[in-house]
């Protein structure tokens, strides 16, 4: 299963169980996002759901690493800085690609707030890139981005409805 199909399936499955206070975040992982950028040709995606109890569940997939992954971690930090490890994710070790769903961590209140503020990221470290081969900042998603098509109307206003616009 390719990375896009994995996340389409995961999005459909998790979205049905989400609560109003839950927050979904997404990340696109690549070498350009690493601080300092790498020449890694690998890529990946991560999806995280933070619930109202401070628990985070992650689904991730990556492929194309030139050397074996040594770890996959969730970290707290700005997009332009290297951050502090929140937790190691049980994925990827010894592989050049992997996909996992349902990886869970319990967050401290500070870590939960950092996630809600978009100040966390996922990094895949390898033998060749011990500081990180690929990285993706987890960005909070609005309901419109999670399933509603956003279409600008002819008058420049945005129609976020799932219903087509009709002129009445």
């Amino acid at each position: 299963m390719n990375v896009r199909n994995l996340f389409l399936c995961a999005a459909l499955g998790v979205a049905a169980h989400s609560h109003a206070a839950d927050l979904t975040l997404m990340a696109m992982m690549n070498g350009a996002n690493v601080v300092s950028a790498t020449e890694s040709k690998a890529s990946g995606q991560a999806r995280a759901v933070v619930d109202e109890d401070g628990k985070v569940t992650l689904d991730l997939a990556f492929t194309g690493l030139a050397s074996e992954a040594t770890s996959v971690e969730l970290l707290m930090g700005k997009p332009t800085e290297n951050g502090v490890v929140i937790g190691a994710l049980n994925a990827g070790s010894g592989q050049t690609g992997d996909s996992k769903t349902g990886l869970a961590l319990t967050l401290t209140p500070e870590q939960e707030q950092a996630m809600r503020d978009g100040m966390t990221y996922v990094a895949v470290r390898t033998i060749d890139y011990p500081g990180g081969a690929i990285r993706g900042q987890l960005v909070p998603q609005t309901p419109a981005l999670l399933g509603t098509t956003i279409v600008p109307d002819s008058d420049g206003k945005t129609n976020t409805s799932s219903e087509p616009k009709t002129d009445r």
Side-chain angles (χ1 to χ4, degrees):
M1 179 180 289
N2 70 31
V3 171
R4 286 189 180 149
N5 288 340
L6 171 73
F7 282 100
L8 179 58
C9 292
L12 293 174
V14 176
H17 297 93
S18 294
H19 301 289
D22 292 354
L23 175 68
T24 300
L25 303 100
M26 299 289 293
M28 300 299 294
M29 296 185 289
N30 61 52
N33 292 338
V34 177
V35 178
S36 296
T38 69
E39 295 180 11
S40 176
K41 303 296 184 223
S43 63
Q45 291 183 345
R47 180 176 190 275
V49 176
V50 180
D51 71 19
E52 58 192 33
D53 295 328
K55 293 180 182 161
V56 61
T57 304
L58 291 109
D59 301 329
L60 67 92
F62 62 90
T63 188
L65 294 173
S67 62
E68 296 176 350
T70 55
S71 68
V72 180
E73 298 169 332
L74 175 65
L75 298 99
M76 188 167 54
K78 297 177 182 178
T80 57
E81 300 174 354
N82 289 315
V84 178
V85 175
I86 292 173
L89 302 172
N90 186 21
S93 289
Q95 300 178 58
T96 59
D98 197 6
S99 64
K100 298 279 184 176
T101 59
L103 302 169
L105 293 170
T106 301
L107 306 172
T108 66
E110 178 188 18
Q111 293 165 340
E112 179 183 356
Q113 189 59 53
M115 284 201 85
R116 291 183 180 280
D117 292 342
M119 295 297 156
T120 57
Y121 62 95
V122 175
V124 179
R125 300 177 194 276
T126 66
I127 294 167
D128 293 342
Y129 295 107
I134 59 175
R135 168 184 169 155
Q137 197 76 20
L138 286 160
V139 178
Q141 304 296 296
T142 64
L145 295 175
L146 289 173
T148 304
T149 304
I150 300 174
V151 181
D153 292 339
S154 58
D155 60 2
K157 295 182 180 174
T158 302
N159 173 14
T160 58
S161 169
S162 58
E163 297 293 319
K165 180 182 177 196
T166 58
D167 292 324
R168 295 184 196 172

